[in-house]
Amino acid sequence: MTAQAATAPAETATKKAHDTVVILDFGSQVTQLIARRIREIGVYSVLLPFNAPMTEILKLNPKAIILSGGPASVTEANSPRAHAEIFTLGLPVFGICYGLQTMCEQLGGKVSPSAKREFGRAHLTVEDFKNPLFNGIWQNGTQPQVWMSHGDSVSKIPDGFTTIGKSATCPYAAVADEKRKLYGVQFHPEVVHTPEGKQIISNFVLNIAGCKPDWTMAAFKDEMIEAIRKQVGKERVICGVSGGVDSTVVAALLHAAIGDQLTCIFVDTGLMRLNEAEEVVSLFRNHFNIPLVHEQSGEIFLSRLKGVTDPEQKRKIIGKSFIDVFEDAKKRAGEAPFLAQGTLYPDVIESVSFSGGPTVTIKSHHNVGGLPEDMKFKLVEPLRALFKDEVRALGVELGIPEKFVMRHPFPGPGLAIRIPGEITEERLNILRKADAIFIEELHANKLYTETWQAFAVLLPVRTVGVMGDGRTYDHVLALRAVTSIDGMTADYAPLPHDFLGRCAVRIVNEVKGINRVVYDITSKPPGTIEWE
């Protein structure tokens, strides 16, 4: 798609209205968590690659700078470094793990390979409980748990620094130069395995840097409504909606800003969950009274998927079909120069991140492709400053019903990637009914919000069984539920055995075509949340 928009309204509003903490990314897989923790405190944060130009950093007028962790070694030639100017601006700087090491090395200290590497839980011996970084968190004599992940460590601190914490194998686990407002820790305060880590970050952001905790979704909503009106003027906007959280919140926010200048397009692929299409149509037409073009195109998608079993080919077919249907719907929606998209801050980060990684594969896995280049829209991306949890909070502010705000992520290819093998109407119907029972039981047992994503998968396996007095030869169904913080890594959800048994009994009894149910308890590495 041709992106013709000027500065996104989200960026325009936030730069003007809120104190900002800039995080420079050295490639840690948990850098996003630093930004999230700061947002949770109520302060706006921006993540940039470590080598972002100083002009770009200063343009944000930051109140403080954080240097993230990273996989490189400071002891190696050509490993990443912060701009030297960072330490002379007079701004508070907080180095985390690699960020601590490069700060110390750049200021005259020394970093060496650790005599014993530390990966995992460790205990901190606090040397200065009253230091501004730790003040009010621990009492004298405690040895708090922290999370380490390093093979190198600081072996000599720069002039002006003092030691405020150490571990059994790391003599400079926390250091400070209070005069220059430079602080650093070898452990990761951003992860949940450092229980008081969020309080450490809060001390730095609120007390040391003096940031105002005014980053709220109520304020953001009002700012964005004003920014959207300024960007769009009297022009019309088209917004594609799927029933997912992101597109629903975008549409509700735009409607609050510009009313009937907005038209939404819902491409009903026929690959949706049970009753989902009807719920989407009812939400937009009846609850919000938003003009909606509903394209019922299940026959098109099913006919093009006939006989196709390769998962990547399925995605490409669905993507191409989506574009074709959207093109036709766009004509019925009427001319509009603007297209609204649900781009989130993690999407923005991925496009500029130093660390790179499996972004292309992940996007291919979850999405169905972008719109073609010749759709020369100007983009409206009002959520590009937000993380997923913030989008949900904004949805609450906009009055979106909870079942839509808290709905689990549902990838663009829909049920097509939850049916390995050929997609048929019969297999879709079996999966829909079984999946609905699983989700219904999760809600009934108050487990739905305890999981990040849960779904059923109709396996390309049939098994012989006996039900009553008859022999069956039916499908095997897998249930999967995962927990996740960032949507990039996941672990299986330890659902109670009796709950899983109840789900299995209901599914086998109520869904014709299934005679066996299994639960997937495999953990997944980064980027492999879905089944295929």
Side-chain angles (χ1 to χ4, degrees), residues 161-424:
F161 279 78
T162 59
T163 305
I164 61 174
K166 62 184 180 181
S167 71
T169 60
C170 185
Y172 304 112
V175 301
D177 181 338
E178 292 187 52
K179 185 176 181 180
R180 289 186 286 179
K181 296 185 179 179
L182 304 178
Y183 299 82
V185 295
Q186 184 58 66
F187 56 88
H188 287 271
E190 69 271 29
V191 302
V192 295
H193 309 295
T194 301
E196 290 84 22
K198 184 177 175 181
Q199 292 173 264
I200 295 172
I201 295 173
S202 179
N203 273 354
F204 176 75
V205 170
L206 299 182
N207 301 334
I208 295 171
C211 294
K212 298 187 295 293
D214 60 358
W215 173 254
T216 67
M217 285 304 102
F220 179 84
K221 181 189 75 170
D222 294 339
E223 292 164 13
M224 286 313 307
I225 287 174
E226 181 182 348
I228 290 167
R229 287 171 179 166
K230 184 176 180 180
Q231 183 190 13
V232 171
K234 299 296 183 182
E235 301 281 7
R236 295 186 62 251
V237 180
I238 285 176
C239 178
V241 296
S242 64
V245 177
D246 304 340
S247 64
T248 300
V249 172
V250 168
L253 181 61
L254 282 162
H255 190 246
I258 60 174
D260 288 345
Q261 291 171 241
L262 171 70
T263 299
C264 291
I265 296 176
F266 171 42
V267 176
D268 182 354
T269 64
L271 305 171
M272 310 287 285
R273 292 170 287 201
L274 187 67
N275 301 324
E276 191 166 40
E278 294 84 351
E279 292 174 356
V280 172
V281 172
S282 177
L283 175 72
F284 284 92
R285 288 183 176 167
N286 301 332
H287 183 82
F288 282 115
N289 196 29
I290 297 175
L292 179 73
V293 176
H294 178 200
E295 290 294 302
Q296 296 174 284
S297 49
E299 290 184 5
I300 294 174
F301 284 83
L302 271 179
S303 65
R304 295 183 182 182
L305 288 167
K306 186 175 182 179
V308 178
T309 59
D310 178 72
E312 193 62 27
Q313 189 180 357
K314 289 179 191 175
R315 293 184 185 95
K316 290 177 180 177
I317 290 171
I318 294 169
K320 174 63 167 60
S321 302
F322 182 92
I323 290 168
D324 292 344
V325 174
F326 193 91
E327 283 273 19
D328 290 339
K330 181 170 69 77
K331 296 171 185 174
R332 280 187 284 282
E335 289 298 320
F338 287 95
L339 175 72
Q341 291 193 153
T343 305
L344 303 190
Y345 194 46
D347 300 318
V348 178
I349 292 171
E350 286 168 2
S351 68
V352 300
S353 175
F354 162 69
S355 56
T359 301
V360 173
T361 303
I362 295 167
K363 286 184 177 295
S364 166
H365 186 77
H366 289 285
N367 300 328
V368 294
L371 297 175
E373 291 287 342
D374 58 1
M375 284 192 185
K376 298 186 184 299
F377 286 111
K378 292 179 283 187
L379 299 184
V380 182
E381 298 178 307
L383 307 184
R384 62 182 284 119
L386 303 185
F387 287 102
K388 191 77 168 189
D389 54 332
E390 293 173 316
V391 173
R392 296 188 194 279
L394 178 58
V396 172
E397 287 289 334
L398 290 163
I400 299 172
E402 183 180 2
K403 67 177 297 183
F404 287 94
V405 172
M406 300 308 298
R407 176 170 282 175
H408 287 174
F410 190 58
L415 297 180
I417 60 169
R418 295 176 182 175
I419 302 179
E422 183 179 7
I423 310 299
T424 66

Side-chain angles (χ1 to χ4, degrees), residues 384-462:
R384 62 182 284 119
L386 303 185
F387 287 102
K388 191 77 168 189
D389 54 332
E390 293 173 316
V391 173
R392 296 188 194 279
L394 178 58
V396 172
E397 287 289 334
L398 290 163
I400 299 172
E402 183 180 2
K403 67 177 297 183
F404 287 94
V405 172
M406 300 308 298
R407 176 170 282 175
H408 287 174
F410 190 58
L415 297 180
I417 60 169
R418 295 176 182 175
I419 302 179
E422 183 179 7
I423 310 299
T424 66
E425 188 64 50
E426 178 190 11
R427 300 185 79 197
L428 282 167
N429 286 332
I430 291 173
L431 180 58
R432 281 194 188 98
K433 293 173 184 176
D435 185 77
I437 290 171
F438 185 34
I439 301 303
E440 180 184 316
E441 287 291 335
L442 285 167
H443 279 296
N445 290 274
K446 301 188 186 310
L447 293 169
Y448 187 81
T449 55
E450 298 299 311
T451 59
W452 185 83
Q453 189 179 44
F455 53 87
V457 178
L458 190 65
L459 300 180
V461 176
R462 304 185 86 172

